[in-house]
Amino acid sequence: MKLRECLLLFVLTTVSAVSTAQVPATTVDSGNKSDPATWNKDADDALTAENNHEYATAYSLYKRLLSEGPPQRNILMQAAIAARGAGHPDEALSFYQQGSQLGTVSNEIPELIAVVPIYSALGRWEDFDKAKARLRQLAAADSSFAGRGYLIDEFTEGSRQFRVLEFPNLTGRFNSRYRFLVVSEADPAEKFIPYYDLESDDADQAFFKIDHPKLAAKGERRYSLDSYPKPRAQALMGFYDGEPTYETLRAIVAKSGEKKPLATDSDKKTTIAPK
C-alpha cells in the first residue's frame, strides 16, 4: 500500500473549504422596537461572532434581536446555527421550524446546512438522513461546491471530539465522501488535524467491477475507511462494497481507538496486521 500524502490545505477544510449556512445581510424591519442603527449593529455582531465560532455570544445576540421585533426568516435560521453551537439543539430546531414557516426561499442549501447538524445533535437520524440526502443532491449540482464540503455532525467520544464534513461530490486524490476531523487532537506545531476519511480510490474500482459487476453497473463503488493520524501516516480501517451509511461509519470511528487497523503506512513503511 503506498503512502497517501496528507495534504495540509485539504485537511484544514474547517476553515478554507467548508460551506457554512449564511443568509444575506439583514436590515431592520419597521416593526422593531430598537432603533435601526442599534438593531443592525447587533445583527452584524451576531453574525461575526457566529463566523468566529463564538456561539454563546451569537446566541445571546440573536435572542435579543428576536425579542425586539417581528420574526424574520434569516435571523431565525442564523439563531438556529448559534443555538446548536452553544449547546441548545432543541431550541435550535425550534428556531429552524419557526423560520421555515415564514415564506419560501429560492435556495434551500444554506438552510439545509443549518438543520442537518441539528438533527444529528438531537439523534433524529431519520430526519437527518432525509435532509442530508436532499442537501447532497442540491449541492452536488451546484458548481460552487466543487472540492468543498459542509459540516453535518459534531460529537464527542471519551476525550476525543469529532467534527464531520460531507463532500457532495467525491473530492480529492482519493475521492473522499466523509471526513471525520479529530479536532481535540489538533497539532498546532505541525498545523495538522488527525482525521478519518471514507474514500473511493479509483484504483480499487477495477477489482470492484470484477467482484460485483451488477453493483458497478448501477454506479456503485468500493469504499475504504482510512485513518490519517499524522502528516505522513495512514492506516486502512476497512473496505465497503457500496457506500456505507453515515451512522455505520460514525459508530466505527467513535470506537476507532479500540480497533487495530488492517494495515498501516508510515514514512514509506507498510505493515499488514496479522489475521
Side-chain angles (χ1 to χ4, degrees):
M1 183 184 300
K2 60 188 176 183
L3 175 64
R4 298 184 173 183
E5 296 87 357
C6 299
L7 303 178
L8 177 60
L9 293 179
F10 190 52
V11 174
L12 297 179
T13 48
T14 48
V15 177
S16 62
V18 178
S19 296
T20 55
Q22 291 187 12
V23 294
T26 303
T27 55
V28 69
D29 185 280
S30 59
N32 288 304
K33 299 174 185 177
S34 61
D35 68 275
T38 299
W39 196 93
N40 285 328
K41 182 179 184 303
D42 284 347
D44 289 342
D45 289 347
L47 186 58
T48 297
E50 189 172 276
N51 289 339
N52 291 332
H53 304 289
E54 298 168 358
Y55 293 115
T57 298
Y59 169 70
S60 178
L61 287 168
Y62 283 127
K63 292 268 284 188
R64 183 195 305 172
L65 290 166
L66 290 168
S67 73
E68 293 179 344
Q72 297 186 34
R73 184 173 183 131
N74 50 358
I75 290 296
L76 283 162
M77 292 300 177
Q78 295 298 155
I81 299 170
R84 182 199 59 79
H88 308 288
D90 288 296
E91 194 167 11
L93 183 58
S94 177
F95 287 145
Y96 172 83
Q97 291 171 335
Q98 292 176 59
S100 64
Q101 294 172 6
L102 299 177
T104 59
V105 291
S106 58
N107 182 4
E108 297 177 57
I109 291 177
E111 294 185 2
L112 287 168
I113 289 176
V115 77
V116 166
I118 294 174
Y119 284 141
S120 63
L122 292 171
R124 294 179 54 159
W125 298 112
E126 185 174 345
D127 292 325
F128 170 86
D129 290 336
K130 182 178 179 180
K132 186 172 74 66
R134 176 62 174 163
L135 174 56
R136 182 191 291 189
Q137 176 189 30
L138 294 175
D142 187 329
S143 60
S144 68
F145 281 87
R148 303 174 69 201
Y150 39 76
L151 179 75
I152 61 168
D153 191 12
E154 290 182 289
F155 65 95
T156 299
E157 182 69 26
S159 62
R160 307 178 85 197
Q161 298 175 357
F162 296 90
R163 182 173 298 144
V164 189
L165 314 177
E166 179 181 67
F167 299 98
N169 297 295
L170 294 177
T171 296
R173 181 179 175 185
F174 298 107
N175 297 318
S176 297
R177 173 66 78 197
Y178 296 112
R179 174 157 297 174
F180 294 76
L181 291 155
V182 192
V183 294
S184 57
E185 298 176 6
D187 186 342
E190 289 278 359
K191 296 182 179 180
F192 179 80
I193 302 174
Y195 65 100
Y196 298 80
D197 262 16
L198 179 71
E199 304 172 344
S200 185
D201 192 342
D202 288 336
D204 295 329
Q205 305 318 307
F207 297 102
F208 179 65
K209 289 179 180 179
I210 294 172
D211 295 339
H212 301 281
K214 292 182 179 180
L215 289 177
K218 293 180 180 179
E220 292 280 1
R221 296 175 64 92
R222 176 165 289 166
Y223 290 80
S224 64
L225 180 63
D226 294 82
S227 169
Y228 295 85
K230 296 178 181 179
R232 292 170 295 280
Q234 180 264 342
L236 172 65
M237 308 301 292
F239 281 111
Y240 306 89
D241 290 330
E243 183 176 333
T245 67
Y246 172 72
E247 291 86 342
T248 295
L249 294 169
R250 188 184 197 265
I252 292 172
V253 171
K255 300 297 183 182
S256 57
E258 305 170 6
K259 180 180 179 181
K260 292 183 179 180
L262 300 179
T264 59
D265 200 345
S266 180
D267 290 328
K268 299 183 179 180
K269 180 180 180 181
T270 300
T271 301
I272 306 298
K275 294 183 179 180

